[in-house]
Amino acid sequence: MNGMAGSQKVAAVVQAAMASGRTALTAAEVSLVCGAYGIPTPQEGLADSAPRAVELAGQFGYPVAVKIASADITHKSEAGGVVLGLSTAEEVAAAYDRVTAEAEALFPGAHIDGALVQQMVPPGREVIVGATTDPTFGRLVAFGMGGIYVEVLRDITFGLAPLGLEAARSMLDRVAGAPLLAGVRGQAPVDREALARLLVAVAQLVTDHPEISEVDLNPVVASEEGVVAVDVRLLLAPPPAERPANASREEILDQMTRLLRPSAIAVIGASAEAGKIGNSVMRNLIEGGYQGPIYPVNPKSKEILGRPCYAQVADLPDGVDVAIFAIPAAAVAGAMDAIGRRGIPTAVLIPSGFAETGRTDLQAELQAVARRWNIRFLGPNIYGYYYTPDRICATFCTPYDVAGPVALSSQSGGIGMAILGFARSAGLGVSAIVGLGNKADVDEDDLLTFFEQDDATRCIAMHMEDLKDGRAFLEVAKRVSPRKPVIVLKAGRTVAGARAARSHTGALAGDDKVYDDLFASHGVVRAPGLLDMLNYARALPLMPTPAGEEVLIITGAGGSGVLLSDACVDNGLTLMKVPADLDASFRQFIPPFGAAGNPVDITGGEPPSTYRATIALALRDPRVHAVVVGYWHTIVTPPMVFAELLVEVVAEARLAGNAKPVVVSLAGDVEVEAACELLFQHGIPAYAYTTETPVAVLGAKYHWARNNGLIPAAS
Amino acid sequence: MNGMAGSQKVAAVVQAAMASGRTALTAAEVSLVCGAYGIPTPQEGLADSAPRAVELAGQFGYPVAVKIASADITHKSEAGGVVLGLSTAEEVAAAYDRVTAEAEALFPGAHIDGALVQQMVPPGREVIVGATTDPTFGRLVAFGMGGIYVEVLRDITFGLAPLGLEAARSMLDRVAGAPLLAGVRGQAPVDREALARLLVAVAQLVTDHPEISEVDLNPVVASEEGVVAVDVRLLLAPPPAERPANASREEILDQMTRLLRPSAIAVIGASAEAGKIGNSVMRNLIEGGYQGPIYPVNPKSKEILGRPCYAQVADLPDGVDVAIFAIPAAAVAGAMDAIGRRGIPTAVLIPSGFAETGRTDLQAELQAVARRWNIRFLGPNIYGYYYTPDRICATFCTPYDVAGPVALSSQSGGIGMAILGFARSAGLGVSAIVGLGNKADVDEDDLLTFFEQDDATRCIAMHMEDLKDGRAFLEVAKRVSPRKPVIVLKAGRTVAGARAARSHTGALAGDDKVYDDLFASHGVVRAPGLLDMLNYARALPLMPTPAGEEVLIITGAGGSGVLLSDACVDNGLTLMKVPADLDASFRQFIPPFGAAGNPVDITGGEPPSTYRATIALALRDPRVHAVVVGYWHTIVTPPMVFAELLVEVVAEARLAGNAKPVVVSLAGDVEVEAACELLFQHGIPAYAYTTETPVAVLGAKYHWARNNGLIPAAS
């Protein structure tokens, strides 16, 4: 829509305005910019006299508006500088004289160019389009419905600039007022494509010209005919400093592999004294079963836990990939320098006492030393990390050894311990648990780059309070998530939470809605709470990707069927309208007073064969894409009998090529807990005493699949 | 606002309109009704000629509107019968001629009275006030913000008619657009009192005149000056049949006591054959430990499980309070008649095969028999019931014996089994679990009337798919909940869920928002899901009522503090702004790099004494009303050490008269599960691996306290 020439013209205008110290563009400059980027505005022209204004109005056709033209007056309406709905030459001339006279009177120092004569816009739906700068993600495009009510409800959505047309289209659907765009009460729908193109254009504008710090198109009138930006404000500010380029993916991968899968480990500050962190780390490494060499470093010991001890880092043998630090904060920078000299490429900084306690100086110092030696490090202020495929427990916490497909990270030690406890209690198979703490170096995108190619990892769950580099994270997440779901618990969602995060890790959170929107558009599944994240992480890798949106509930308990239906709606799932032939097939198996349709209610008194027949039918029929099973504990079909039959039916379906997500809600006496365990062991997410959790994890699977474009559109 | 005379005039108008077969009132009649009930409308008058219209306009002052006056034309605007903004006599005369001519042309048969001349309303905020008829609750008043956006968002709230002024005021706060009433962007706030009075008036109108089936005041223009209902529609319909009067509270209580605390029990269809329902019921009654006489009835047995068996009901000894039915559906009505003859006052109908399977005839038959003998009964189609204080397990399910303060009921057998399993697994102390099934007789309000005076019950949780008599339930709930929290899981919240409920128990759910609003205004706590209901039921009786809104978080894990803060906001809790002196007191106990404020972050490395000192301080200070504790598992303060110290601190505070709600989130390895158990045993709700659940149950306690007016307003 804009050629190179257009962009260069804009650059010249912006440079000139910046050079003259201005923070906003004039109407004429705005007009040029909009022209260059294909942002439709009303026909308009600058008049330097009342007769010229009348002449322009005659060209555009009545009615017109007359607006004061001055770079020094930004809020024109409030300054009385706007007159709308002028229908005759006399009115236009009078309006010109009035706005220029009032501006001169109100703003004695202002330079006044004259007045803008503007075509009035036809009626339509008022929307708001803008661009802004976020501390975490940089340039964002915003879209919202216009009107005062929306300000109260904050119905707005964000996209990352630059923006593709498809992403722009999906932004239009993300506001609560979206139905208004499609037309309600018999109104015509607005031109969505024109609106999407407008978002793309604004995104391109702020991407090409980082000096344009804020764009405000308010209102944009959208109608069947197209869109018109009625009022356009463009603000200027010195562009933010360019971030230093990240290392290449290969380099990051090499360093992360040495950090998380080291050939040999040194423990700086290893100790023989029980209760010391340096002792716990040694003990966990050894008892955890790590097979590579472990070298304790401590000038005061000859041997620690049966391993010969080194007096100083310089004495260490070759081949050490990572140094675990268990020394006081004040000694960390010195030891960092020592490992650099010795050629050790990575470190794990357990010690506290850095930025989180106000000692930003100590943190900056160790960052400088690490950069000098190109050392990558975790922390400081962390519990360490676990990597189960190599049986590494590089931590002072309790060891963990249930290997499995889920990699987890946390910014907080307390949350790390909750992850560990839940994982052990639920038997959650884990590939890694990594503490990130102050994130003075390694952060989430580095970890994602490693887990992306780690064969032991099939799902990644991350607790975070902030992102050091939002764009880098989104870029990697978008690449990784289609194959390995990325689940994020972003703490500090609320204003109070964000304040607490600031005092905890100094995290600076922007508008939480930005995280919501950008995570979704980059394939990330957001977990609303801690237990949700853990439940999603446990269940998502077990479920195959659904081939479509049609979800069927089969239940032995009508009451569960009702609650499961509610939960499906709550979690954005589509309850299949069962086709007549399939409905008839179900009716063959269920009692006459049972209900086909959806839920399929097989009723409570049925034997195992009824569960088996109906579930098998649902798995076999290609029109059903996911199955929610509600079990009711009865004497006729006890919990373990049910669990075993379901395991068989699902296994048979998988063998026959009919792999579909199946989740289970079990209502019954405590025996259902063992049934849940059995089902989970066989890859079927199952939960006792709740109708919400099974549907919530299925909903998360669907969010993931949709966010990553993995569900074919309905035929 | 309206005297008896006004109400009588309205009655006369309504009767006359009904008598002439009309379903709407004319403009003139509407005007009379509004006058009688103090519903402010624009000044207006009926003109039967253009000159009369001009005369009226001159009286009211310009601008005016002219509207066609005809009882046969309800949607005037759509019929072209409304002309607004008339500023001169000529315009008024022309408008009169036009609307009458068009109406004659468009509605040839319509009787046209002339045209209404109406004062135009000053600018203000448009709102909607109405009254409607709900299948469950009867006459409701509705309030919402006006405008097309609101139709899309369905931002509307409901109140039960008649309505007090205080209830009307609180309705104004329940819409999302409420801030608009207070004035945004420098606008003046609207006259809330006038708006509240308008709601009261509309509620009174539909209460006094049940023939008025629908009231639609749209728009009402609200401004600083007051409110004006610009357009008023009143529809008529034959009033719904009066419900038969419920029995007196004393009578219900007497019957429910005989049902749930019987002196002797008969089991109709008792069986010696294991696996039969009649055998399971006998076994549960005996093994459960019921101390009263148990009489099996079965013509084929002499003795069942050591108890002499009766051939028929007529043979039973005196003093039987309840008969448990374990016979086929077809035999129930006959047996009901037999127990009636024998003078047994209550029954428990376990059998299925009635309305839920389409046999409404069988259900109607047994209802008729029961009414004839004044028998109250549970079911049919239920698992039975438990009443632990008397060790009654009148059910074919597994027995349950952990006595405690919570009474539960469920409409569905599956949900009943989930309640039982959760209760056993969590060690939830229960007074009763009652199946309601088809609710052909006893329903939730009967049970509430019993639990209200049952000393063993301190909290009531109910799963329901519908309410047979919404008003009766609300009335009893409002009376009971201030002393014993009433928690409701209303299934069928969503359209899909409601459809499933209809096919399950034939439940007819109206707009779910109605339940939300009416539950809240009658003191009921609504649980969003099954597990939420169970969690609330377990935790609410343990917590004292908070004396105010100020909630303080004390945490050893900064990361938990952030998530707990988010959860407080999510659950509508107020994070206390800690006064400077209290802040200073906390700082005495926590390390310099910890954070006072809220959360109080004592940091992870602290010994038990720091937890003890800070929590004791919070419990002692009267400005803190509830405490959320975040624990982080460390070697310095292991889980059980923490749990024991917290039990002590809370006990000391209670002894000192400082009883406050305290809830705990525990982050750590699996040992935290035992710590949670210990804390629960000592009356402190505590949860592992989650920051959401402890805050959710505290939030439920606050919802309950606020809904029941138990929290003093902040000074």
Side-chain angles (χ1 to χ4, degrees):
Chain A
M1 74 189 55
N2 63 307
M4 185 56 77
S7 177
Q8 280 169 357
K9 264 192 251 172
V10 171
V13 163
V14 166
Q15 292 312 329
M18 295 283 287
S20 70
R22 282 192 279 130
T23 57
L25 295 186
T26 64
E29 291 164 345
V30 163
S31 185
L32 182 146
V33 171
C34 289
Y37 277 81
I39 296 170
T41 52
Q43 276 201 66
E44 62 174 24
L46 180 66
D48 53 5
S49 70
R52 174 65 182 147
V54 171
E55 192 185 330
L56 286 169
Q59 283 171 24
F60 302 155
Y62 291 93
V64 297
V66 168
K67 301 180 177 180
I68 190 70
S70 166
D72 301 327
I73 305 175
T74 46
H75 287 83
K76 299 183 197 83
S77 318
E78 289 165 24
V82 176
V83 190
L84 302 173
L86 304 168
S87 307
T88 65
E90 293 70 39
E91 286 176 9
V92 169
Y96 180 90
D97 291 339
R98 208 181 84 207
V99 297
T100 49
E102 277 190 19
E104 275 161 15
L106 282 167
F107 303 92
H111 176 81
I112 291 165
D113 300 317
L116 217 56
V117 180
Q118 230 172 25
Q119 193 186 12
M120 292 286 286
V121 174
R125 176 73 55 206
E126 290 197 359
V127 303
I128 300 168
V129 172
T132 180
T133 306
D134 180 89
T136 304
F137 297 102
R139 289 292 191 265
L140 302 181
V141 184
F143 167 72
M145 302 301 297
I148 193 168
Y149 206 88
V150 177
E151 287 186 22
V152 171
L153 299 175
R154 300 188 189 289
D155 184 21
I156 194 165
T157 185
F158 297 93
L160 204 62
L163 195 69
L165 198 54
E166 196 46 54
R169 287 189 194 112
S170 78
M171 279 180 71
L172 303 183
D173 292 324
R174 279 209 300 266
V175 293
L180 294 174
L181 299 177
V184 293
R185 288 218 292 205
Q187 292 174 330
V190 310
D191 183 344
R192 287 173 59 89
E193 281 305 294
L195 202 44
R197 284 196 303 272
L198 178 59
L199 290 170
V200 171
V202 168
Q204 196 58 48
L205 172 63
V206 294
T207 304
D208 292 347
H209 306 283
E211 300 85 357
I212 300 180
S213 59
E214 207 175 296
V215 176
D216 194 6
L217 277 53
N218 184 7
V220 172
V221 174
S223 66
E224 219 179 352
E225 311 297 321
V227 297
V228 183
V230 177
D231 202 8
V232 179
R233 275 203 312 154
L234 297 174
L235 299 188
L236 304 175
E242 293 255 321
R243 285 176 188 279
N246 282 332
S248 72
R249 184 176 159 197
E250 289 66 31
E251 193 181 342
I252 294 172
L253 191 52
D254 174 65
Q255 291 166 313
M256 289 305 112
T257 305
R258 291 176 135 216
L259 175 67
L260 296 173
R261 308 197 64 180
S263 303
I265 299 175
V267 180
I268 321 287
S271 168
E273 191 181 327
K276 292 252 181 192
I277 283 182
N279 181 264
S280 301
V281 171
M282 281 299 294
R283 190 175 296 278
N284 283 335
L285 282 171
I286 294 167
E287 292 175 4
Y290 175 64
Q291 296 299 303
I294 303 168
Y295 306 122
V297 179
N298 189 331
K300 295 183 212 143
S301 303
K302 287 277 173 262
E303 193 194 89
I304 292 175
L305 296 171
R307 310 279 168 139
C309 190
Y310 297 82
Q312 49 179 354
V313 171
D315 301 341
L316 282 168
D318 286 346
V320 174
D321 280 330
V322 65
I324 320 287
F325 284 43
I327 52 178
V332 167
M336 186 75 91
D337 189 59
I339 68 164
R341 281 178 203 286
R342 186 61 196 84
I344 300 174
T346 74
V348 174
L349 306 193
I350 291 175
S352 313
F354 296 90
E356 86 285 1
T357 65
R359 296 302 302 269
T360 47
D361 56 329
L362 284 183
Q363 190 158 315
E365 186 191 359
L366 77 87
Q367 281 175 310
V369 176
R371 258 196 303 276
R372 194 183 319 137
W373 295 107
N374 193 26
I375 295 170
R376 301 300 311 267
F377 62 92
L378 284 174
N381 183 30
I382 59 171
Y383 49 91
Y385 76 89
Y386 302 83
Y387 185 71
T388 58
D390 296 345
R391 303 176 67 182
I392 301 177
C393 299
T395 166
F396 62 93
C397 301
T398 40
Y400 189 75
D401 62 359
V402 183
V406 183
L408 299 115
S409 73
S410 77
Q411 194 163 354
S412 146
I415 302 307
M417 280 302 282
I419 289 172
L420 185 80
F422 174 89
R424 198 189 305 280
S425 182
L428 170 63
V430 159
S431 61
I433 303 177
V434 184
L436 285 173
N438 296 9
K439 296 198 285 200
D441 179 31
V442 170
D443 63 5
E444 287 85 358
D445 45 286
D446 297 309
L447 292 185
L448 280 185
T449 300
F450 173 79
F451 293 130
E452 178 182 22
Q453 58 70 58
D454 178 38
D455 289 337
T457 299
R458 291 198 288 122
C459 176
I460 302 124
M462 301 181 139
H463 158 267
M464 60 177 68
E465 293 183 1
D466 66 351
L467 279 169
K468 299 298 176 199
D469 183 350
R471 285 191 173 240
F473 175 77
L474 292 178
E475 189 188 315
V476 186
K478 181 144 189 116
R479 197 177 68 218
V480 175
S481 6
R483 285 179 307 111
K484 302 185 180 185
V486 177
I487 301 159
V488 169
L489 170 61
K490 165 69 180 66
R493 271 186 297 111
T494 63
V495 173
R499 198 184 307 121
R502 199 153 50 242
S503 87
H504 175 228
T505 55
L508 260 183
D511 187 334
D512 187 69
K513 188 69 171 53
V514 170
Y515 283 93
D516 246 11
D517 291 340
L518 296 186
F519 282 170
S521 60
H522 290 76
V524 173
V525 176
R526 186 166 187 184
L530 174 57
L531 198 53
D532 303 294
M533 178 184 78
L534 296 168
N535 278 326
Y536 295 179
R538 188 179 180 210
L540 256 62
L542 302 181
M543 287 182 269
T545 304
E549 293 283 356
E550 304 293 339
V551 177
L552 184 73
I553 301 170
I554 298 177
T555 182
S560 293
V562 179
L563 293 169
L564 291 167
S565 300
D566 281 341
C568 281
V569 175
D570 291 342
N571 286 283
L573 297 175
T574 303
L575 281 172
M576 178 188 203
K577 285 197 180 68
V578 180
D581 65 303
L582 183 56
D583 199 74
S585 303
F586 279 118
R587 282 186 194 283
Q588 292 175 3
F589 301 118
I590 62 182
F593 52 89
N598 193 1
V600 178
D601 182 0
I602 69 171
T603 79
E606 291 299 293
S609 57
T610 308
Y611 278 106
R612 175 186 286 275
T614 49
I615 296 168
L617 176 58
L619 292 175
R620 207 161 50 231
D621 194 295
R623 294 166 293 184
V624 178
H625 302 128
V627 182
V628 177
V629 180
Y631 163 76
W632 179 10
H633 185 166
T634 61
I635 300 167
V636 188
T637 307
M640 284 311 266
V641 171
F642 164 77
E644 280 160 13
L645 86 84
L646 186 58
V647 165
E648 279 174 29
V649 170
V650 169
E652 285 160 15
R654 286 180 185 167
L655 273 177
N658 298 324
K660 297 174 187 180
V662 176
V663 296
V664 192
S665 161
L666 291 96
D669 209 337
V670 289
E671 293 96 304
V672 296
E673 296 182 19
C676 286
E677 221 167 284
L678 182 81
L679 286 165
F680 252 110
Q681 280 160 11
H682 288 83
I684 302 169
Y687 305 86
Y689 324 129
T690 166
T691 49
E692 299 83 32
T693 312
V695 180
V697 301
L698 181 62
K701 187 80 188 188
Y702 266 99
H703 283 301
W704 165 77
R706 288 190 208 118
N707 290 353
N708 288 284
L710 298 175
I711 299 189
S715 57
Chain B
M1 75 189 53
N2 64 306
M4 185 56 77
S7 178
Q8 280 168 356
K9 264 191 251 171
V10 171
V13 162
V14 165
Q15 292 311 330
M18 294 283 286
S20 70
R22 283 191 278 130
T23 57
L25 294 186
T26 63
E29 291 164 346
V30 162
S31 184
L32 182 148
V33 171
C34 289
Y37 278 82
I39 296 170
T41 51
Q43 277 201 66
E44 62 174 25
L46 180 66
D48 53 5
S49 70
R52 174 64 184 151
V54 171
E55 192 186 331
L56 287 169
Q59 284 171 22
F60 303 155
Y62 290 93
V64 298
V66 168
K67 301 180 179 182
I68 190 68
S70 167
D72 302 326
I73 306 175
T74 45
H75 286 83
K76 298 184 197 82
S77 318
E78 290 165 23
V82 176
V83 190
L84 304 173
L86 304 167
S87 304
T88 65
E90 292 72 38
E91 287 175 8
V92 170
Y96 180 90
D97 291 339
R98 208 181 85 208
V99 298
T100 49
E102 278 187 20
E104 276 161 15
L106 283 167
F107 302 92
H111 177 79
I112 292 164
D113 301 317
L116 217 56
V117 179
Q118 228 172 27
Q119 194 186 13
M120 293 285 286
V121 173
R125 176 72 55 204
E126 289 197 359
V127 301
I128 300 168
V129 172
T132 181
T133 306
D134 180 89
T136 305
F137 297 102
R139 290 292 191 263
L140 303 180
V141 184
F143 167 72
M145 304 298 298
I148 193 167
Y149 207 90
V150 177
E151 289 187 20
V152 172
L153 299 175
R154 301 187 188 288
D155 185 21
I156 194 164
T157 185
F158 297 92
L160 204 62
L163 197 68
L165 198 54
E166 194 48 54
R169 286 189 193 111
S170 79
M171 278 180 72
L172 302 183
D173 292 325
R174 279 208 301 268
V175 293
L180 295 174
L181 298 177
V184 293
R185 290 216 293 207
Q187 292 173 328
V190 310
D191 183 343
R192 287 173 59 88
E193 281 305 293
L195 202 43
R197 283 196 304 272
L198 178 60
L199 290 170
V200 171
V202 168
Q204 195 59 48
L205 172 63
V206 293
T207 304
D208 292 348
H209 306 284
E211 298 85 358
I212 300 181
S213 59
E214 206 174 297
V215 177
D216 193 7
L217 278 52
N218 183 8
V220 171
V221 174
S223 66
E224 218 178 352
E225 311 299 321
V227 296
V228 184
V230 176
D231 201 8
V232 179
R233 274 202 313 153
L234 298 174
L235 299 189
L236 305 175
E242 294 255 320
R243 286 176 189 278
N246 282 331
S248 73
R249 184 176 160 196
E250 288 66 31
E251 191 180 344
I252 294 171
L253 190 52
D254 175 64
Q255 290 165 313
M256 290 305 113
T257 304
R258 292 176 133 214
L259 176 66
L260 296 172
R261 309 198 64 178
S263 303
I265 299 175
V267 180
I268 319 287
S271 168
E273 190 181 330
K276 293 253 180 189
I277 285 182
N279 182 263
S280 301
V281 171
M282 281 298 295
R283 190 176 296 279
N284 284 335
L285 283 171
I286 294 167
E287 291 175 5
Y290 175 65
Q291 297 298 302
I294 303 169
Y295 306 121
V297 179
N298 189 331
K300 296 181 213 147
S301 302
K302 287 277 173 262
E303 191 194 89
I304 292 175
L305 296 171
R307 311 278 167 139
C309 189
Y310 297 82
Q312 50 179 353
V313 171
D315 303 340
L316 283 168
D318 286 345
V320 175
D321 280 329
V322 66
I324 321 286
F325 284 43
I327 51 178
V332 168
M336 185 75 91
D337 189 60
I339 67 165
R341 281 178 204 286
R342 186 64 194 86
I344 300 175
T346 75
V348 174
L349 306 193
I350 291 176
S352 312
F354 295 89
E356 85 287 2
T357 66
R359 296 303 302 269
T360 46
D361 56 328
L362 284 183
Q363 190 159 315
E365 187 192 356
L366 77 86
Q367 281 175 310
V369 177
R371 257 197 305 275
R372 195 182 319 137
W373 295 108
N374 194 25
I375 296 171
R376 301 301 312 267
F377 62 93
L378 285 174
N381 182 30
I382 60 170
Y383 47 92
Y385 76 88
Y386 302 83
Y387 185 72
T388 59
D390 295 344
R391 303 175 68 184
I392 301 177
C393 300
T395 166
F396 61 92
C397 301
T398 40
Y400 189 77
D401 62 359
V402 184
V406 183
L408 299 115
S409 72
S410 77
Q411 193 162 354
S412 145
I415 303 307
M417 280 301 284
I419 290 172
L420 184 80
F422 174 90
R424 198 190 304 279
S425 182
L428 170 64
V430 159
S431 60
I433 304 177
V434 183
L436 285 174
N438 296 8
K439 296 198 284 200
D441 178 30
V442 169
D443 63 5
E444 287 84 358
D445 44 287
D446 296 309
L447 292 185
L448 280 184
T449 300
F450 172 79
F451 293 131
E452 179 181 21
Q453 57 72 55
D454 177 39
D455 289 337
T457 299
R458 289 199 289 123
C459 176
I460 302 124
M462 300 181 141
H463 158 266
M464 59 177 71
E465 294 183 1
D466 67 351
L467 278 170
K468 300 299 177 200
D469 183 349
R471 287 193 171 236
F473 176 77
L474 292 178
E475 188 189 317
V476 185
K478 182 145 189 115
R479 196 178 68 217
V480 175
S481 16
R483 285 180 305 112
K484 304 188 179 184
V486 177
I487 301 160
V488 170
L489 170 61
K490 165 68 180 66
R493 272 187 295 111
T494 64
V495 174
R499 199 183 308 121
R502 198 154 51 240
S503 86
H504 176 227
T505 54
L508 261 183
D511 186 335
D512 188 69
K513 187 69 170 54
V514 170
Y515 284 93
D516 246 11
D517 290 340
L518 297 186
F519 282 170
S521 60
H522 290 77
V524 173
V525 176
R526 187 167 184 182
L530 174 57
L531 198 53
D532 303 294
M533 176 184 79
L534 296 168
N535 278 326
Y536 295 179
R538 187 178 181 209
L540 256 61
L542 303 180
M543 289 182 268
T545 303
E549 293 283 355
E550 305 292 338
V551 177
L552 185 72
I553 300 170
I554 298 178
T555 183
S560 293
V562 179
L563 292 169
L564 292 167
S565 299
D566 281 340
C568 282
V569 175
D570 290 341
N571 287 282
L573 297 175
T574 303
L575 281 171
M576 178 189 203
K577 285 198 179 66
V578 181
D581 65 304
L582 183 56
D583 198 74
S585 304
F586 279 118
R587 282 186 195 283
Q588 292 175 4
F589 301 117
I590 63 181
F593 52 87
N598 192 3
V600 178
D601 182 0
I602 69 170
T603 80
E606 291 299 292
S609 58
T610 309
Y611 278 105
R612 175 186 286 279
T614 50
I615 296 167
L617 176 57
L619 291 175
R620 205 159 54 229
D621 193 295
R623 293 167 294 184
V624 178
H625 302 127
V627 182
V628 178
V629 180
Y631 163 75
W632 180 8
H633 184 167
T634 61
I635 302 167
V636 188
T637 307
M640 284 311 267
V641 172
F642 164 77
E644 280 159 12
L645 86 82
L646 187 59
V647 166
E648 277 174 32
V649 170
V650 170
E652 285 159 18
R654 285 180 186 169
L655 273 175
N658 298 324
K660 296 175 187 180
V662 176
V663 296
V664 192
S665 161
L666 291 95
D669 209 337
V670 288
E671 292 97 303
V672 296
E673 295 182 20
C676 285
E677 221 167 287
L678 182 82
L679 286 165
F680 252 110
Q681 280 161 10
H682 288 84
I684 303 169
Y687 305 86
Y689 324 130
T690 168
T691 48
E692 298 84 32
T693 312
V695 180
V697 301
L698 181 62
K701 187 81 189 187
Y702 267 98
H703 283 300
W704 165 76
R706 288 190 208 118
N707 289 353
N708 289 285
L710 299 175
I711 300 189
S715 58

